[in-house]
Amino acid sequence: MKPVIVVHGGAGRIFKEQEKACRSGVVRAVLRGYGILKRGGTALDAVEEAVRSMEDDPHFNAGCGSVLNEKGEVEMDAIIMDGKNLASGAVSAVKCVANPIKIARLVMEKTKHVLLTDQGAHLFAQAMGVPEIPEEKLITERSQERWKKNLEPDSNPEEFQKDLGTVGAVALDSEGNVACATSTGGLSNKLIGRVGDTACIGSGGYADNYSGAASTTGHGESIMKVVLARLILYHMEQGH
Ligand SMILES: NC(=O)C[C@H](N)C(=O)O
């Protein structure tokens, strides 16, 4: 089967001066993921690699470049899912790691659970030998500026939520297996402990060999209302 990978760097507004960097970020991610597929690798490895690449890229709202919560901290959510057996792993409100998607994968493969949050995710990551990094390494000038602007009395937080998007990827490998991965810093100036759609199976992503794979981006609280990723696959199953 001919392998396929599709990635997104969010569906938010992209400022002119960021356009080139954002474009090369998604191209780099897709090439890394596709490289794995071309060598006969799995859809799961391909989506993880593509998302890692965008987590490492400060132009996206995931990993380095994540938006900040109300206290000016980075709290990230991520999910990965294997369409072959419906196995999935996710983390929410994780701090001080470069690649939340890696921990999501470890949750899937090394635990009996599907979602670990905050401190529990942190302890698990430590136990798995995932290196901790200083929070400053995840914070960009742009995310700090956005956070400060949102604190101003006349700010329009709705406007700022349009600026940046979550990252994600879906892939089909030569064996006919599909997978999805999604990663985000969430919403600007969100409440501490807010968990968005990205960490929730069926909302931030879903993969099922029977129907396909989806990775979502946008306003998490709206996405969760309709369990969007699963809803998309439902419509695909119906042939829509
Ligand atoms: N920009 C985004 O896609 C945000 C993400 N869906 C969230 O609500 O956490």
Side-chain angles (χ1 to χ4, degrees):
M1 191 170 285
K2 196 168 180 270
V4 180
I5 183 163
V6 180
V7 313
H8 69 81
R13 171 176 62 189
I14 300 170
F15 289 105
K16 202 93 207 112
E17 64 275 15
Q18 302 286 331
E19 203 182 301
K20 216 169 144 203
C22 290
R23 232 175 248 283
S24 28
V26 285
V27 169
R28 193 175 314 119
V30 90
L31 290 177
R32 287 209 188 155
Y34 193 63
I36 289 179
L37 293 171
K38 243 183 21 192
R39 294 191 292 274
T42 63
L44 204 58
D45 283 344
V47 292
E48 182 187 342
E49 181 62 27
V51 164
R52 276 171 86 116
S53 164
M54 289 184 285
E55 285 177 338
D56 292 339
D57 186 327
H59 297 95
F60 301 105
N61 174 18
C64 174
S66 286
V67 298
L68 309 182
N69 69 13
E70 59 175 352
K71 262 186 78 185
E73 301 162 339
V74 172
E75 285 186 326
M76 302 167 288
D77 299 342
I79 191 166
I80 191 161
M81 185 162 182
D82 187 351
K84 189 167 59 178
N85 51 11
L86 306 189
S88 72
V91 287
S92 66
V94 289
K95 298 175 181 158
C96 299
V97 288
N99 299 109
I101 199 65
K102 173 77 201 153
I103 313 175
R105 173 104 186 238
L106 288 168
V107 169
M108 180 177 98
E109 290 178 344
K110 306 282 184 204
T111 78
K112 295 188 186 116
H113 309 301
V114 294
L115 170 59
L116 290 180
T117 193
D118 196 6
Q119 241 225 310
H122 179 72
L123 291 173
F124 172 70
Q126 259 181 346
M128 290 288 118
V130 175
E132 216 174 290
I133 59 163
E135 188 175 41
E136 304 82 76
K137 290 217 161 167
L138 298 171
I139 300 180
T140 59
E141 230 170 83
R142 219 150 33 91
S143 61
Q144 232 162 0
E145 262 170 40
R146 176 179 298 105
W147 172 70
K148 278 195 197 132
K149 282 210 172 121
N150 276 341
L151 293 177
E152 287 168 9
D154 59 344
S155 78
N156 177 357
E158 305 268 300
E159 261 310 288
F160 272 100
Q161 303 302 355
K162 291 182 191 157
D163 287 356
L164 272 178
T166 292
V167 305
V170 293
L172 167 71
D173 63 31
S174 51
E175 302 283 309
N177 296 310
V178 296
C180 73
T182 312
S183 183
T184 190
L187 296 182
S188 256
N189 299 59
K190 63 188 180 181
L191 290 182
I192 294 163
R194 177 260 187 190
V195 176
D197 59 308
T198 302
C200 301
I201 183 169
S203 287
Y206 202 82
D208 181 352
N209 279 2
Y210 174 70
S211 40
S215 164
T216 63
T217 177
H219 183 243
E221 282 70 9
S222 304
I223 290 171
M224 283 191 276
K225 279 185 187 168
V226 296
V227 197
L228 187 61
R230 188 63 192 86
L231 181 66
I232 291 166
L233 294 194
Y234 167 77
H235 285 292
M236 285 167 65
E237 285 158 12
Q238 304 304 305
H240 295 156

PDB file of all heavy atoms in Angstrom, residues 47-71:
ATOM      1  N   VAL A  47       3.802   9.515  12.695  1.00  0.00           N
ATOM      2  CA  VAL A  47       3.072  10.662  13.273  1.00  0.00           C
ATOM      3  C   VAL A  47       3.793  11.194  14.505  1.00  0.00           C
ATOM      4  O   VAL A  47       3.828  12.399  14.740  1.00  0.00           O
ATOM      5  CB  VAL A  47       1.581  10.338  13.585  1.00  0.00           C
ATOM      6  CG1 VAL A  47       0.778  10.130  12.319  1.00  0.00           C
ATOM      7  CG2 VAL A  47       1.410   9.174  14.564  1.00  0.00           C
ATOM      8  N   GLU A  48       4.414  10.298  15.261  1.00  0.00           N
ATOM      9  CA  GLU A  48       5.168  10.770  16.433  1.00  0.00           C
ATOM     10  C   GLU A  48       6.324  11.661  15.982  1.00  0.00           C
ATOM     11  O   GLU A  48       6.537  12.736  16.529  1.00  0.00           O
ATOM     12  CB  GLU A  48       5.687   9.586  17.261  1.00  0.00           C
ATOM     13  CG  GLU A  48       6.428  10.079  18.497  1.00  0.00           C
ATOM     14  CD  GLU A  48       7.132   8.992  19.293  1.00  0.00           C
ATOM     15  OE1 GLU A  48       6.804   7.810  19.117  1.00  0.00           O
ATOM     16  OE2 GLU A  48       8.009   9.363  20.093  1.00  0.00           O
ATOM     17  N   GLU A  49       7.043  11.205  14.976  1.00  0.00           N
ATOM     18  CA  GLU A  49       8.201  11.963  14.486  1.00  0.00           C
ATOM     19  C   GLU A  49       7.777  13.333  13.936  1.00  0.00           C
ATOM     20  O   GLU A  49       8.416  14.349  14.206  1.00  0.00           O
ATOM     21  CB  GLU A  49       8.918  11.135  13.400  1.00  0.00           C
ATOM     22  CG  GLU A  49      10.154  11.776  12.826  1.00  0.00           C
ATOM     23  CD  GLU A  49      11.253  12.014  13.865  1.00  0.00           C
ATOM     24  OE1 GLU A  49      11.297  11.276  14.874  1.00  0.00           O
ATOM     25  OE2 GLU A  49      12.050  12.953  13.639  1.00  0.00           O
ATOM     26  N   ALA A  50       6.685  13.343  13.172  1.00  0.00           N
ATOM     27  CA  ALA A  50       6.223  14.608  12.582  1.00  0.00           C
ATOM     28  C   ALA A  50       5.833  15.591  13.693  1.00  0.00           C
ATOM     29  O   ALA A  50       6.184  16.782  13.647  1.00  0.00           O
ATOM     30  CB  ALA A  50       5.039  14.347  11.658  1.00  0.00           C
ATOM     31  N   VAL A  51       5.136  15.099  14.687  1.00  0.00           N
ATOM     32  CA  VAL A  51       4.695  15.984  15.772  1.00  0.00           C
ATOM     33  C   VAL A  51       5.883  16.442  16.621  1.00  0.00           C
ATOM     34  O   VAL A  51       5.967  17.612  17.017  1.00  0.00           O
ATOM     35  CB  VAL A  51       3.579  15.300  16.616  1.00  0.00           C
ATOM     36  CG1 VAL A  51       3.380  16.002  17.941  1.00  0.00           C
ATOM     37  CG2 VAL A  51       2.283  15.294  15.817  1.00  0.00           C
ATOM     38  N   ARG A  52       6.827  15.543  16.861  1.00  0.00           N
ATOM     39  CA  ARG A  52       8.040  15.933  17.609  1.00  0.00           C
ATOM     40  C   ARG A  52       8.746  17.077  16.917  1.00  0.00           C
ATOM     41  O   ARG A  52       9.226  18.012  17.545  1.00  0.00           O
ATOM     42  CB  ARG A  52       9.010  14.759  17.666  1.00  0.00           C
ATOM     43  CG  ARG A  52       8.743  13.793  18.770  1.00  0.00           C
ATOM     44  CD  ARG A  52       9.620  12.603  18.557  1.00  0.00           C
ATOM     45  NE  ARG A  52      10.921  12.822  19.158  1.00  0.00           N
ATOM     46  CZ  ARG A  52      11.391  12.092  20.158  1.00  0.00           C
ATOM     47  NH1 ARG A  52      10.675  11.120  20.649  1.00  0.00           N
ATOM     48  NH2 ARG A  52      12.554  12.323  20.689  1.00  0.00           N
ATOM     49  N   SER A  53       8.819  16.981  15.601  1.00  0.00           N
ATOM     50  CA  SER A  53       9.513  18.000  14.831  1.00  0.00           C
ATOM     51  C   SER A  53       8.848  19.372  15.030  1.00  0.00           C
ATOM     52  O   SER A  53       9.523  20.393  15.184  1.00  0.00           O
ATOM     53  CB  SER A  53       9.522  17.561  13.366  1.00  0.00           C
ATOM     54  OG  SER A  53       9.825  18.607  12.524  1.00  0.00           O
ATOM     55  N   MET A  54       7.513  19.379  15.072  1.00  0.00           N
ATOM     56  CA  MET A  54       6.819  20.663  15.263  1.00  0.00           C
ATOM     57  C   MET A  54       6.830  21.102  16.734  1.00  0.00           C
ATOM     58  O   MET A  54       6.790  22.296  17.027  1.00  0.00           O
ATOM     59  CB  MET A  54       5.403  20.576  14.704  1.00  0.00           C
ATOM     60  CG  MET A  54       5.405  20.516  13.171  1.00  0.00           C
ATOM     61  SD  MET A  54       3.766  20.520  12.435  1.00  0.00           S
ATOM     62  CE  MET A  54       3.246  18.847  12.766  1.00  0.00           C
ATOM     63  N   GLU A  55       6.913  20.148  17.670  1.00  0.00           N
ATOM     64  CA  GLU A  55       7.070  20.523  19.087  1.00  0.00           C
ATOM     65  C   GLU A  55       8.409  21.235  19.302  1.00  0.00           C
ATOM     66  O   GLU A  55       8.522  22.133  20.139  1.00  0.00           O
ATOM     67  CB  GLU A  55       7.023  19.273  19.974  1.00  0.00           C
ATOM     68  CG  GLU A  55       5.631  18.689  20.166  1.00  0.00           C
ATOM     69  CD  GLU A  55       5.613  17.401  20.983  1.00  0.00           C
ATOM     70  OE1 GLU A  55       6.650  16.713  21.061  1.00  0.00           O
ATOM     71  OE2 GLU A  55       4.562  17.070  21.550  1.00  0.00           O
ATOM     72  N   ASP A  56       9.422  20.820  18.536  1.00  0.00           N
ATOM     73  CA  ASP A  56      10.755  21.428  18.680  1.00  0.00           C
ATOM     74  C   ASP A  56      10.867  22.773  17.963  1.00  0.00           C
ATOM     75  O   ASP A  56      11.863  23.468  18.113  1.00  0.00           O
ATOM     76  CB  ASP A  56      11.828  20.481  18.103  1.00  0.00           C
ATOM     77  CG  ASP A  56      11.971  19.217  18.941  1.00  0.00           C
ATOM     78  OD1 ASP A  56      11.584  19.237  20.116  1.00  0.00           O
ATOM     79  OD2 ASP A  56      12.457  18.205  18.397  1.00  0.00           O
ATOM     80  N   ASP A  57       9.865  23.085  17.164  1.00  0.00           N
ATOM     81  CA  ASP A  57       9.891  24.304  16.358  1.00  0.00           C
ATOM     82  C   ASP A  57       9.128  25.415  17.090  1.00  0.00           C
ATOM     83  O   ASP A  57       7.935  25.278  17.360  1.00  0.00           O
ATOM     84  CB  ASP A  57       9.221  23.980  15.004  1.00  0.00           C
ATOM     85  CG  ASP A  57       9.304  25.118  14.018  1.00  0.00           C
ATOM     86  OD1 ASP A  57       9.262  26.284  14.456  1.00  0.00           O
ATOM     87  OD2 ASP A  57       9.396  24.851  12.816  1.00  0.00           O
ATOM     88  N   PRO A  58       9.809  26.518  17.422  1.00  0.00           N
ATOM     89  CA  PRO A  58       9.167  27.566  18.239  1.00  0.00           C
ATOM     90  C   PRO A  58       8.021  28.307  17.554  1.00  0.00           C
ATOM     91  O   PRO A  58       7.353  29.120  18.186  1.00  0.00           O
ATOM     92  CB  PRO A  58      10.321  28.527  18.550  1.00  0.00           C
ATOM     93  CG  PRO A  58      11.332  28.286  17.490  1.00  0.00           C
ATOM     94  CD  PRO A  58      11.201  26.842  17.088  1.00  0.00           C
ATOM     95  N   HIS A  59       7.788  28.009  16.258  1.00  0.00           N
ATOM     96  CA  HIS A  59       6.718  28.734  15.558  1.00  0.00           C
ATOM     97  C   HIS A  59       5.345  28.149  15.803  1.00  0.00           C
ATOM     98  O   HIS A  59       4.352  28.695  15.337  1.00  0.00           O
ATOM     99  CB  HIS A  59       7.009  28.782  14.058  1.00  0.00           C
ATOM    100  CG  HIS A  59       8.250  29.538  13.772  1.00  0.00           C
ATOM    101  ND1 HIS A  59       9.469  28.925  13.614  1.00  0.00           N
ATOM    102  CD2 HIS A  59       8.463  30.865  13.670  1.00  0.00           C
ATOM    103  CE1 HIS A  59      10.391  29.851  13.417  1.00  0.00           C
ATOM    104  NE2 HIS A  59       9.804  31.033  13.436  1.00  0.00           N
ATOM    105  N   PHE A  60       5.277  27.027  16.492  1.00  0.00           N
ATOM    106  CA  PHE A  60       3.972  26.392  16.711  1.00  0.00           C
ATOM    107  C   PHE A  60       3.616  26.356  18.194  1.00  0.00           C
ATOM    108  O   PHE A  60       4.490  26.340  19.054  1.00  0.00           O
ATOM    109  CB  PHE A  60       3.991  24.964  16.146  1.00  0.00           C
ATOM    110  CG  PHE A  60       4.294  24.914  14.682  1.00  0.00           C
ATOM    111  CD1 PHE A  60       5.534  24.507  14.225  1.00  0.00           C
ATOM    112  CD2 PHE A  60       3.335  25.310  13.760  1.00  0.00           C
ATOM    113  CE1 PHE A  60       5.825  24.480  12.871  1.00  0.00           C
ATOM    114  CE2 PHE A  60       3.611  25.285  12.397  1.00  0.00           C
ATOM    115  CZ  PHE A  60       4.857  24.869  11.960  1.00  0.00           C
ATOM    116  N   ASN A  61       2.301  26.266  18.417  1.00  0.00           N
ATOM    117  CA  ASN A  61       1.802  26.206  19.792  1.00  0.00           C
ATOM    118  C   ASN A  61       1.822  24.763  20.300  1.00  0.00           C
ATOM    119  O   ASN A  61       0.792  24.118  20.459  1.00  0.00           O
ATOM    120  CB  ASN A  61       0.380  26.787  19.817  1.00  0.00           C
ATOM    121  CG  ASN A  61      -0.283  26.643  21.164  1.00  0.00           C
ATOM    122  OD1 ASN A  61       0.381  26.414  22.181  1.00  0.00           O
ATOM    123  ND2 ASN A  61      -1.602  26.772  21.202  1.00  0.00           N
ATOM    124  N   ALA A  62       3.032  24.280  20.520  1.00  0.00           N
ATOM    125  CA  ALA A  62       3.225  22.916  21.034  1.00  0.00           C
ATOM    126  C   ALA A  62       4.689  22.816  21.427  1.00  0.00           C
ATOM    127  O   ALA A  62       5.540  23.387  20.742  1.00  0.00           O
ATOM    128  CB  ALA A  62       2.920  21.875  19.964  1.00  0.00           C
ATOM    129  N   GLY A  63       4.998  22.124  22.513  1.00  0.00           N
ATOM    130  CA  GLY A  63       6.389  22.041  22.955  1.00  0.00           C
ATOM    131  C   GLY A  63       6.952  23.447  23.102  1.00  0.00           C
ATOM    132  O   GLY A  63       6.315  24.337  23.675  1.00  0.00           O
ATOM    133  N   CYS A  64       8.146  23.689  22.520  1.00  0.00           N
ATOM    134  CA  CYS A  64       8.729  25.036  22.536  1.00  0.00           C
ATOM    135  C   CYS A  64       7.862  25.965  21.679  1.00  0.00           C
ATOM    136  O   CYS A  64       7.647  25.673  20.506  1.00  0.00           O
ATOM    137  CB  CYS A  64      10.148  24.967  21.994  1.00  0.00           C
ATOM    138  SG  CYS A  64      10.878  26.583  21.829  1.00  0.00           S
ATOM    139  N   GLY A  65       7.388  27.058  22.276  1.00  0.00           N
ATOM    140  CA  GLY A  65       6.484  27.962  21.538  1.00  0.00           C
ATOM    141  C   GLY A  65       5.054  27.864  22.039  1.00  0.00           C
ATOM    142  O   GLY A  65       4.178  28.596  21.576  1.00  0.00           O
ATOM    143  N   SER A  66       4.827  26.962  22.999  1.00  0.00           N
ATOM    144  CA  SER A  66       3.478  26.818  23.564  1.00  0.00           C
ATOM    145  C   SER A  66       2.994  28.137  24.159  1.00  0.00           C
ATOM    146  O   SER A  66       3.783  28.912  24.707  1.00  0.00           O
ATOM    147  CB  SER A  66       3.500  25.790  24.715  1.00  0.00           C
ATOM    148  OG  SER A  66       3.615  24.486  24.210  1.00  0.00           O
ATOM    149  N   VAL A  67       1.692  28.358  24.068  1.00  0.00           N
ATOM    150  CA  VAL A  67       1.119  29.530  24.734  1.00  0.00           C
ATOM    151  C   VAL A  67       1.174  29.309  26.248  1.00  0.00           C
ATOM    152  O   VAL A  67       1.373  28.180  26.709  1.00  0.00           O
ATOM    153  CB  VAL A  67      -0.339  29.796  24.261  1.00  0.00           C
ATOM    154  CG1 VAL A  67      -0.382  30.100  22.779  1.00  0.00           C
ATOM    155  CG2 VAL A  67      -1.255  28.635  24.623  1.00  0.00           C
ATOM    156  N   LEU A  68       0.987  30.390  26.996  1.00  0.00           N
ATOM    157  CA  LEU A  68       1.143  30.310  28.457  1.00  0.00           C
ATOM    158  C   LEU A  68      -0.207  30.327  29.163  1.00  0.00           C
ATOM    159  O   LEU A  68      -1.172  30.914  28.667  1.00  0.00           O
ATOM    160  CB  LEU A  68       1.999  31.477  28.939  1.00  0.00           C
ATOM    161  CG  LEU A  68       3.333  31.665  28.192  1.00  0.00           C
ATOM    162  CD1 LEU A  68       4.117  32.829  28.780  1.00  0.00           C
ATOM    163  CD2 LEU A  68       4.170  30.384  28.236  1.00  0.00           C
ATOM    164  N   ASN A  69      -0.251  29.719  30.332  1.00  0.00           N
ATOM    165  CA  ASN A  69      -1.493  29.749  31.127  1.00  0.00           C
ATOM    166  C   ASN A  69      -1.603  31.073  31.891  1.00  0.00           C
ATOM    167  O   ASN A  69      -0.749  31.948  31.758  1.00  0.00           O
ATOM    168  CB  ASN A  69      -1.593  28.520  32.041  1.00  0.00           C
ATOM    169  CG  ASN A  69      -0.562  28.533  33.169  1.00  0.00           C
ATOM    170  OD1 ASN A  69       0.074  29.556  33.436  1.00  0.00           O
ATOM    171  ND2 ASN A  69      -0.391  27.404  33.825  1.00  0.00           N
ATOM    172  N   GLU A  70      -2.626  31.212  32.705  1.00  0.00           N
ATOM    173  CA  GLU A  70      -2.868  32.495  33.383  1.00  0.00           C
ATOM    174  C   GLU A  70      -1.698  32.936  34.264  1.00  0.00           C
ATOM    175  O   GLU A  70      -1.521  34.114  34.532  1.00  0.00           O
ATOM    176  CB  GLU A  70      -4.155  32.415  34.220  1.00  0.00           C
ATOM    177  CG  GLU A  70      -4.110  31.325  35.270  1.00  0.00           C
ATOM    178  CD  GLU A  70      -5.312  31.298  36.200  1.00  0.00           C
ATOM    179  OE1 GLU A  70      -6.134  32.224  36.147  1.00  0.00           O
ATOM    180  OE2 GLU A  70      -5.397  30.345  36.991  1.00  0.00           O
ATOM    181  N   LYS A  71      -0.904  31.957  34.722  1.00  0.00           N
ATOM    182  CA  LYS A  71       0.234  32.316  35.569  1.00  0.00           C
ATOM    183  C   LYS A  71       1.521  32.519  34.775  1.00  0.00           C
ATOM    184  O   LYS A  71       2.588  32.718  35.336  1.00  0.00           O
ATOM    185  CB  LYS A  71       0.469  31.197  36.584  1.00  0.00           C
ATOM    186  CG  LYS A  71      -0.168  31.505  37.947  1.00  0.00           C
ATOM    187  CD  LYS A  71       0.195  30.453  38.973  1.00  0.00           C
ATOM    188  CE  LYS A  71       1.599  30.628  39.542  1.00  0.00           C
ATOM    189  NZ  LYS A  71       1.956  29.508  40.448  1.00  0.00           N
TER     190      LYS A  71
END
